[in-house]
Amino acid sequence: MVPENLSDLIESALVVDDSALQRQHTVGLLRELGIDLIYEAGNGNEALDLLGLLKLPPGLAVIDLEMPGMDGIELIQHLQAKGVNMPLIVASSREASLLLSVENMIQTLGMHVLGALQKPLDNGKIASALRAFTRAGNMVRQKADAGPSMCEADLAAAIANGEIIPYYQPKVDVQTGILKGVEALARWKHPERGMIPPDRFIPMAESSGLIHDLTIRMMDQAMAQAAIWYSRGLTIKVAVNLSPLSLEQPDFLQRILALVDRYELSAERIVLEITEGSVVANKGNSLGMLSRLRLKGFGLSIDDYGTGFSSMQQLARIPFTELKIDRSFVDGAHERKNLRVILQSALDMAKRLELVTVAEGIETMEDWRLLQSFGCNLGQGYLIAKPMPANELPLWLKGHHRRLPELRPAPRSDEHNGTT
């Protein structure tokens, strides 16, 4: 499916490929997807010369990796050195591991890569990459629409006035689709500027010391909502993100235990999500706090698993109950062997450690089916639901129940035949 607003985001494109036949094929695919103005170059040097003549770079570049003279990797490095940062799609007939390595290189350079695609290219592969571009474009517009940057005083007032509220993203059983829990995600509901995403205020909260008050306010609201849901028979687990800085606060445990008592909740129903890099330093206070939280019954989830360098060490040192695999290893895993291998390895390891496994960033039914076959426990992502206000969850749940048959694994042929 082609993104509807593609022409608004991409007015022109550049195709760089030393094969005239391959180049014309790619040009044809882009035109079919609604991009009319397309520049062509037969190698890296031609591409650089062409870009030097343009006042503005194209809205997209599709670059072949294997070219004589200046290959695609060298061209990308030249673009970065010259400050030309247009969205990129790289293409090659080489192995997937090489493509993944180049994609990681581009991200490390701080450039915008939409995808690393194996040739031959087709509409489906390019359209999938452009859908990622559409999502990124929407995020950029949302940030632009959010207005000017905020100061610490604005944030402190927002916390005190209750403007920062939790939105809840469902976590469902991967095998059955049944709702098992939600993750509470902070959203700043500004009275004049509208909804402000967390990446615009969480760093400020951490650098200013406001993160402690923000965390407690989020937990207060999430536990209050959990108590309401429980009173109505919806006994799901509620996950709340925990800043590593809170682990250094000596009164942190007492404050959240007071909230549990106030709302008459069981600590076992609350999961605290800690990002993988949060406790990478061997700080006794942090490790002690996590152990005490587990001792009191709280679930501990290692969030964004796979994005740091100390994953194994963290699992060995900290009494986690849940392993949450980062979306970068989930999204698109059905079509990328390297991601599949890493994903399955993480799930198998977690199973041996008797940890609940959660996959985040599920956006396609193909990835959902893959997670089912790998035995993942829980999943969350836009395929299931976007984060939503608490009052929208019951309505979502009614519609979600109608989707359960399509989310469950397809019956095996031997089951249809009544054989085993």
Side-chain angles (χ1 to χ4, degrees), residues 32-54:
E32 288 178 17
L33 293 172
I35 303 174
D36 294 324
L37 180 57
I38 302 176
Y39 303 98
E40 299 179 44
N43 55 57
N45 288 311
E46 284 186 18
L48 292 176
D49 290 342
L50 175 61
L51 290 169
L53 299 174
L54 299 176

Side-chain angles (χ1 to χ4, degrees), residues 349-367:
M349 178 191 63
K351 184 177 181 180
R352 292 189 181 96
L353 292 173
E354 299 182 348
L355 301 177
V356 174
T357 52
V358 184
E360 61 181 347
I362 308 172
E363 298 194 2
T364 67
M365 187 60 74
E366 291 84 359
D367 287 333

Side-chain angles (χ1 to χ4, degrees), residues 9 30 94 108 151 188 201 222 230 261 280 293 304-305 311 350:
L9 291 170
L30 292 174
R94 294 292 298 271
T108 303
C151 66
W188 184 349
F201 63 85
Y230 295 169
D261 290 340
V280 67
L293 288 166
D304 298 336
Y305 181 81
S311 306

Side-chain angles (χ1 to χ4, degrees), residues 220-266:
D220 190 343
Q221 294 178 80
M223 290 190 196
Q225 184 59 56
I228 294 172
W229 283 331
Y230 295 169
S231 70
R232 297 173 181 174
L234 188 61
T235 54
I236 56 177
K237 290 190 176 184
V238 176
V240 183
N241 290 285
L242 177 58
S243 168
L245 298 177
S246 296
L247 299 174
E248 296 294 313
Q249 297 296 302
D251 65 341
F252 178 72
L253 179 60
Q254 286 69 32
R255 293 181 74 178
I256 63 171
L257 285 175
L259 292 175
V260 168
D261 290 340
R262 179 191 304 174
Y263 296 112
E264 299 180 346
L265 297 174
S266 167

Side-chain angles (χ1 to χ4, degrees), residues 150-161:
M150 311 295 172
C151 66
E152 292 178 12
D154 294 326
L155 181 56
I159 296 171
N161 296 335

Side-chain angles (χ1 to χ4, degrees), residues 93-366:
S93 56
R94 294 292 298 271
E95 65 271 20
S97 59
L98 175 59
L99 283 165
L100 181 60
S101 178
V102 173
E103 185 174 19
N104 290 334
M105 178 208 77
I106 298 171
Q107 292 170 340
T108 303
L109 290 174
M111 302 178 75
H112 188 179
V113 57
L114 303 181
L117 310 180
Q118 281 190 302
K119 290 183 174 181
L121 299 180
D122 57 40
N123 267 341
K125 291 178 181 178
I126 294 183
S128 177
L130 294 179
R131 277 195 293 273
F133 183 79
T134 304
R135 290 194 297 270
N138 288 337
M139 291 175 63
V140 169
R141 283 196 295 272
Q142 289 170 5
K143 290 180 180 180
D145 294 341
S149 59
M150 311 295 172
C151 66
E152 292 178 12
D154 294 326
L155 181 56
I159 296 171
N161 296 335
E163 293 176 13
I164 298 181
I165 60 174
Y167 268 41
Y168 299 92
Q169 186 169 34
K171 299 164 73 172
V172 304
D173 187 296
V174 172
Q175 301 302 323
T176 66
I178 294 174
L179 179 67
K180 293 295 184 179
V182 293
E183 179 183 1
L185 299 162
R187 298 291 186 268
W188 184 349
K189 195 173 183 180
H190 196 281
E192 298 174 357
R193 296 166 182 166
M195 198 65 68
I196 301 174
D199 60 354
R200 297 197 66 231
F201 63 85
I202 295 296
M204 184 194 304
E206 292 187 325
S207 64
S208 64
L210 292 170
I211 192 66
H212 313 304
D213 290 338
L214 175 58
T215 299
I216 294 299
R217 289 299 293 266
M218 281 291 294
M219 288 190 173
D220 190 343
Q221 294 178 80
M223 290 190 196
Q225 184 59 56
I228 294 172
W229 283 331
Y230 295 169
S231 70
R232 297 173 181 174
L234 188 61
T235 54
I236 56 177
K237 290 190 176 184
V238 176
V240 183
N241 290 285
L242 177 58
S243 168
L245 298 177
S246 296
L247 299 174
E248 296 294 313
Q249 297 296 302
D251 65 341
F252 178 72
L253 179 60
Q254 286 69 32
R255 293 181 74 178
I256 63 171
L257 285 175
L259 292 175
V260 168
D261 290 340
R262 179 191 304 174
Y263 296 112
E264 299 180 346
L265 297 174
S266 167
E268 285 77 9
R269 309 304 299 180
I270 306 299
V271 178
L272 303 175
E273 295 194 3
I274 303 101
T275 54
E276 183 183 344
S278 297
V279 285
V280 67
N282 189 14
K283 294 184 177 180
N285 290 341
S286 297
L287 296 174
M289 180 62 75
L290 288 168
S291 297
R292 294 182 69 198
L293 288 166
R294 183 69 197 113
L295 195 64
K296 296 297 183 181
F298 293 97
L300 298 180
S301 176
I302 181 169
D303 197 9
D304 298 336
Y305 181 81
T307 59
F309 298 100
S310 305
S311 306
M312 299 291 187
Q313 185 185 39
Q314 301 289 44
L315 288 172
R317 291 161 55 205
I318 300 168
F320 286 111
T321 59
E322 179 180 287
L323 184 146
K324 195 168 187 181
I325 300 173
D326 186 70
R327 62 171 294 116
S328 62
F329 297 100
V330 176
D331 187 23
H334 71 279
E335 57 186 3
R336 301 176 69 170
K337 181 180 178 181
N338 285 39
L339 295 186
R340 286 197 302 275
V341 171
I342 295 170
L343 178 60
Q344 186 171 25
S345 175
L347 291 170
D348 289 344
M349 178 191 63
K351 184 177 181 180
R352 292 189 181 96
L353 292 173
E354 299 182 348
L355 301 177
V356 174
T357 52
V358 184
E360 61 181 347
I362 308 172
E363 298 194 2
T364 67
M365 187 60 74
E366 291 84 359

Side-chain angles (χ1 to χ4, degrees), residues 2-33:
V2 181
E4 293 182 1
N5 59 341
L6 179 59
S7 60
D8 295 334
L9 291 170
I10 305 175
E11 296 180 354
S12 61
L14 168 64
V15 178
V16 188
D17 197 316
D18 63 303
S19 167
L21 184 62
Q22 294 277 3
R23 196 166 64 245
Q24 287 304 311
H25 174 66
T26 304
V27 168
L29 293 175
L30 292 174
R31 285 197 172 127
E32 288 178 17
L33 293 172

